[in-house]
Amino acid sequence: MFPDVRLRRLRKGKIRNLVRETTLSVDDLVQPIFVDETIDSPVEFSSMPGIYKFPLSDVAKEAKEISELGIPAVILFGVPASKDAEGSSSWGEIDVIQEAVRRIKADLGDELVVITDICMCEYTNHGHCGIIDFETKEVLNDPTLEVLGKIAVSHARAGADMVAPSGMMDGMVEAIRQALDLNGFENIPIMSYAAKFSSSFYGPFREAADSGCCFGDRSTYQMDPANSNEALREVTLDVAEGADIIMVKPALSYLDIVYRVKTEFGMPTAAYNVSGEYSMIKAAAANGWIDEKKAVYESLISIKRAGADIIITYFAKDAARMLK
């Protein structure tokens, strides 16, 4: 009891560092990269200042810069030259992500972990994450699973170190695990977007990935933001199907989910600090309302404190420079 107990004693100078409970390291970070085969030079996103999409000719250079900052991994998102209802530009041997993986691996080898996003929304002309029944406007779960398996195998053949299914189709992890194993890629891990919520914070990503829906929305397959117990059910299923790492997306509005998942399962847990979370900090900082560096650090440390081992964030490069 006060005056004998004075917690302020441990908040002075370097004593503060000695008793810090949570630390943020560059080793915790993953930087997203957007690769667009329709452009010839990098293009900055209007809604995400400082974030660019890169042509195939520049992707290895960008990956090299990320690696030199000490960031251990990237996650790739592709924008193809052509889109159709089946997303057929997603699984070809020479499509945009497959070629991007080869170029990065040719330059960097094992210096950088290359993770690939496994979803159809960037490749379909309707913007949804699966095969569509156009009469009912329904996203068909089971026919989509075969396509996701084909995408994963094509990425593994190109040299991807890890695949990350994000479409929230029931059974997607099992379908991808089986496809990888049957094709000799049993050692490729799966990082599943296990608890991905139907969120308004994805808005800037839709510009980045050119993946807006032409009808409806994704609420029939992405989770209701009101649900917490359902997130644990989703994670339970994905773990049983073979997920090696599980992810919560978005991060900042779902820190309670990150905490529950990490506490319940005690396995490698990722959180995606999404585009809207990035853009809000950038916009507020640009207006002089907050200190950007302090806000970035506070946001990322909160994700780590909640239990995340891995943070996918558009701030990865900035954070790496700050941490150095």
Side-chain angles (χ1 to χ4, degrees):
M1 300 294 292
F2 179 83
D4 296 318
V5 177
R6 294 177 179 265
L7 295 181
R8 288 180 59 188
R9 291 173 184 144
L10 301 181
R11 296 174 188 162
K12 295 180 180 179
K14 292 188 180 297
I15 294 175
R16 186 183 186 96
N17 297 343
L18 285 172
V19 298
R20 180 167 290 136
E21 299 172 19
T22 307
T23 58
L24 180 68
S25 165
V26 69
D27 289 331
D28 303 325
L29 306 175
V30 178
Q31 175 72 50
I33 300 180
F34 296 93
V35 191
D36 188 338
E37 63 180 349
T38 70
I39 60 176
D40 298 319
S41 59
V43 176
E44 186 176 19
F45 299 116
S46 61
S47 58
M48 298 175 71
I51 301 299
Y52 295 78
K53 56 182 175 180
F54 295 91
L56 279 166
S57 58
D58 283 15
V59 68
K61 178 182 177 183
E62 171 66 7
K64 181 68 172 176
E65 179 180 327
I66 291 166
S67 178
E68 288 176 346
L69 287 168
I71 298 167
V74 295
I75 184 166
L76 303 182
F77 299 90
V79 180
S82 63
K83 303 188 179 193
D84 58 30
E86 292 77 34
S88 59
S89 293
S90 61
W91 66 77
E93 294 301 317
I94 57 171
D95 282 329
V96 58
I97 289 299
Q98 293 79 353
E99 185 61 25
V101 171
R102 289 191 186 94
R103 293 186 183 212
I104 293 172
K105 284 299 180 180
D107 275 20
L108 298 178
D110 293 331
E111 288 181 32
L112 193 67
V113 176
V114 177
I115 307 165
T116 57
D117 180 78
I118 305 292
C119 193
M120 295 176 63
C121 62
E122 299 108 304
Y123 306 94
T124 57
N125 55 14
H126 47 73
H128 281 286
C129 301
I131 302 296
I132 296 289
D133 180 331
F134 284 98
E135 290 187 6
T136 63
K137 298 293 193 294
E138 180 183 358
V139 178
L140 302 175
N141 191 94
D142 294 7
T144 300
L145 299 181
E146 182 180 356
V147 178
L148 298 179
K150 289 168 64 176
I151 298 171
V153 170
S154 71
H155 290 183
R157 283 192 181 129
D161 298 298
M162 185 186 302
V163 296
S166 63
M168 288 298 285
M169 297 294 113
D170 292 336
M172 65 182 184
V173 173
E174 181 177 355
I176 289 170
R177 183 74 274 159
Q178 289 180 354
L180 290 171
D181 291 357
L182 287 171
N183 286 274
F185 297 112
E186 61 274 1
N187 290 323
I188 297 294
I190 297 173
M191 177 169 65
S192 177
Y193 291 63
K196 181 178 179 180
F197 290 83
S198 181
S199 173
S200 60
F201 291 107
Y202 302 149
F205 177 91
R206 301 299 173 214
E207 176 200 353
D210 188 23
S211 61
C213 297
C214 66
F215 61 85
D217 58 29
R218 296 174 173 84
S219 62
T220 63
Y221 43 100
Q222 294 178 359
M223 286 183 55
D224 185 341
N227 292 358
S228 175
N229 292 331
E230 184 188 2
L232 296 191
R233 294 183 67 193
E234 285 280 7
V235 172
T236 299
L237 290 169
D238 282 9
V239 171
E241 292 175 15
D244 301 283
I245 301 170
I246 37 128
M247 187 198 301
V248 176
K249 181 182 181 183
L252 294 177
S253 294
Y254 299 88
L255 293 178
D256 61 317
I257 308 299
V258 176
Y259 178 80
R260 289 192 68 187
V261 166
K262 185 62 177 180
T263 301
E264 178 75 17
F265 295 91
M267 65 181 293
T269 302
Y272 201 138
N273 183 211
V274 298
S275 58
E277 296 168 340
Y278 173 91
S279 296
M280 287 192 301
I281 289 177
K282 282 289 187 179
N287 280 283
W289 297 334
I290 60 172
D291 182 304
E292 180 175 331
K293 288 184 177 180
K294 289 181 178 180
V296 169
Y297 177 79
E298 190 174 343
S299 297
L300 297 181
I301 202 71
S302 75
I303 299 168
K304 189 77 184 295
R305 190 180 66 242
D309 305 290
I310 299 165
I311 304 173
I312 302 170
T313 177
Y314 301 97
F315 285 118
K317 291 169 68 176
D318 291 341
R321 295 185 185 104
M322 286 191 294
L323 291 169
K324 283 189 174 183

